[in-house]
Amino acid sequence: MTAAYLRTAALELSWADASRSLQDLIFSVARRALDESGVEFERLDSVVLAAHDMVDGRSLSSMVSAPAAGSYLRDEIRLSDDAAAAVATASMRVRAGLSRECMVCAWARASEGDGERISTALFDPFYARPLGLTELSVSALRASVALREFPAYAGGREAAAERRAGQAAEDPRAPAGHAAPVPAPLPLRAAELPRVCDIVCALIVSAERTDVRIAGHGMSCEPYWPGDRDLLALPALRDATERALRSAARAPAEVSLYELDGLTLFDEALALEAVGGARHGQGMASVAEAMNPCGGYALGYCAPAMGLVRVAEAARRLRERGAGLALASGSSTVAAQTQTALVLECEP
């Protein structure tokens, strides 16, 4: 079976850029991914997209935006799940011999819609939506459980949030603007909420050998109803990680870099514990140092593009180090119901 490798990724964070349409943004980032990877456009033979009609505000979003990502007259798949699943899909296509050069592109233009209303609309219309549930409110429930069960979380949250803000401020890619802050649902604080912005990310999954290989991936799912889930343990992420490491024939201790999707500071800290990067109840103490060194949620956030951003960041960091094993993850747009984990290996 053919191995799957990652070429150079392109990422752009912005806010309400009136000079460019959504298609313009997608085209410029996809074009940059091709140019920086040294791949001629004609060599692309397939495209896998991650986009959400409700976030885009366009029915059949990919019908009008997919050509900007290079899909015209090419085999195209569009997922409305998180973009990490799109990378896994592209990897499977390459490994199966169905593609040689596959563009993976994901976007989310938060400046065109009301994120909280969109989030509410994703929940069940009869039982959950009347309660006003949103992604943030589920994260707040998760934070409440964590604060009750783990006393260390209360003592470390302020320092972790300050560290995250500092990491994001140091990154030259930080967008000039972002969505107006929303009231933080208790017990979350403003500094623990994501910096919502417009995001486009693109990379190429290739059958030709590069220095970063997709060594394995795994996917898992939790029950639909938030009340039926284990908000603290994130079992879908744990299971997806175990599957990814098993398919890569690697042990958890071999992972040297974590790029994990998390909507808030608490989501990131609990994700780090779920994948084995921190001891049970100690995720908050090490989250800002152990994962997402660019600042994670504080740098820029908008589903469903975040899984691809995490994969792109993991590949970039591995190349800077010259070697190592990274774990990247992405969670679905409905309160992290589904999870995808990918193991990336840098081969000198």
Side-chain angles (χ1 to χ4, degrees), residues 25-75:
L25 287 170
I26 296 169
F27 177 81
S28 64
V29 174
R31 180 73 262 178
R32 183 151 53 90
L34 287 168
D35 292 342
E36 294 181 4
S37 295
V39 176
E40 295 179 358
F41 179 66
E42 290 74 16
R43 289 173 55 191
L44 283 183
D45 53 30
S46 65
V47 176
V48 180
L49 309 174
H52 201 291
D53 289 359
M54 294 190 70
V55 177
D56 286 357
R58 297 163 176 83
S59 180
L60 294 176
S61 172
S62 58
M63 181 173 64
V64 295
S65 50
S71 69
Y72 183 64
L73 296 180
R74 286 176 174 81
D75 183 51

Side-chain angles (χ1 to χ4, degrees), residues 237-238 241 245 252 255 258 260 270-278 327 329 341:
L237 177 57
R238 183 179 63 240
T241 298
L245 288 168
V255 177
Y258 295 97
L260 308 177
L270 291 171
L272 186 63
E273 293 184 24
V275 302
L327 179 70
S329 75

Side-chain angles (χ1 to χ4, degrees), residues 13 16 20-21 47 53 193 200 204 207 211 250 283 298-299 317:
L13 308 176
R20 292 183 291 175
S21 67
V47 176
D53 289 359
L193 302 187
V200 181
I204 298 170
D211 54 349
R250 291 304 190 92
L299 176 62
R317 298 283 178 178

Side-chain angles (χ1 to χ4, degrees), residues 1-347:
M1 183 175 289
T2 304
Y5 298 88
L6 294 181
R7 297 190 183 274
T8 305
L11 169 65
E12 181 168 332
L13 308 176
S14 62
W15 179 252
D17 185 351
S19 67
R20 292 183 291 175
S21 67
L22 175 61
Q23 289 90 333
D24 291 332
L25 287 170
I26 296 169
F27 177 81
S28 64
V29 174
R31 180 73 262 178
R32 183 151 53 90
L34 287 168
D35 292 342
E36 294 181 4
S37 295
V39 176
E40 295 179 358
F41 179 66
E42 290 74 16
R43 289 173 55 191
L44 283 183
D45 53 30
S46 65
V47 176
V48 180
L49 309 174
H52 201 291
D53 289 359
M54 294 190 70
V55 177
D56 286 357
R58 297 163 176 83
S59 180
L60 294 176
S61 172
S62 58
M63 181 173 64
V64 295
S65 50
S71 69
Y72 183 64
L73 296 180
R74 286 176 174 81
D75 183 51
E76 174 217 333
I77 299 174
R78 196 282 290 263
L79 288 74
S80 57
D81 204 337
D82 177 78
V87 180
T89 301
S91 172
M92 288 186 282
R93 290 181 57 78
V94 169
R95 295 181 65 196
L98 300 176
S99 176
R100 295 288 299 175
E101 301 286 350
C102 181
M103 170 75 76
V104 182
C105 190
W107 58 83
R109 202 172 197 190
S111 62
E112 292 189 344
D114 185 327
E116 288 296 279
R117 291 183 64 185
I118 291 171
S119 180
T120 299
L122 294 173
F123 288 85
D124 171 78
F126 300 104
Y127 297 99
R129 201 179 300 171
L131 295 175
L133 282 182
T134 66
E135 303 293 313
L136 278 180
S137 63
V138 174
S139 290
L141 292 173
R142 188 173 287 122
S144 297
V145 178
L147 288 170
R148 184 186 66 211
E149 298 294 327
F150 304 144
Y153 269 51
R157 63 192 297 193
E158 186 172 349
E162 289 180 358
R163 176 64 176 143
R164 273 285 181 251
Q167 290 170 327
E170 294 171 0
D171 197 306
R173 299 168 300 175
H178 55 89
V182 299
L186 295 174
L188 293 173
R189 300 170 180 170
E192 298 162 353
L193 302 187
R195 180 187 179 101
V196 178
C197 64
D198 300 337
I199 298 176
V200 181
C201 188
L203 62 77
I204 298 170
V205 179
S206 175
E208 293 188 7
R209 184 185 177 94
T210 70
D211 54 349
V212 176
R213 179 173 65 93
I214 301 177
H217 65 263
M219 305 173 76
S220 189
C221 183
E222 293 188 51
Y224 172 74
W225 296 105
D228 291 337
R229 302 183 199 170
D230 186 338
L231 295 177
L232 201 62
L234 298 176
L237 177 57
R238 183 179 63 240
D239 184 51
T241 298
E242 291 173 353
R243 292 170 183 264
L245 288 168
R246 188 163 57 247
S247 66
R250 291 304 190 92
E254 296 181 77
V255 177
S256 59
L257 174 65
Y258 295 97
E259 285 284 347
L260 308 177
D261 182 24
L263 179 64
T264 68
L265 176 64
F266 278 81
D267 292 311
E268 287 192 348
L270 291 171
L272 186 63
E273 293 184 24
V275 302
R279 286 165 41 187
H280 192 57
Q282 299 299 315
M284 187 64 75
S286 56
V287 61
E289 288 73 31
M291 61 178 273
N292 302 357
C294 68
Y297 72 91
L299 176 62
Y301 198 98
C302 194
M306 297 316 300
L308 184 56
V309 174
R310 300 275 69 86
V311 171
E313 284 295 288
R316 183 174 71 90
R317 298 283 178 178
L318 284 177
R319 288 188 169 107
E320 290 176 353
R321 298 181 180 186
L325 200 72
L327 179 70
S329 75
S331 58
S332 76
T333 57
V334 187
Q337 180 188 6
T338 65
Q339 297 275 359
T340 302
L342 296 106
V343 175
L344 309 181
E345 182 177 11
C346 185
E347 300 175 328

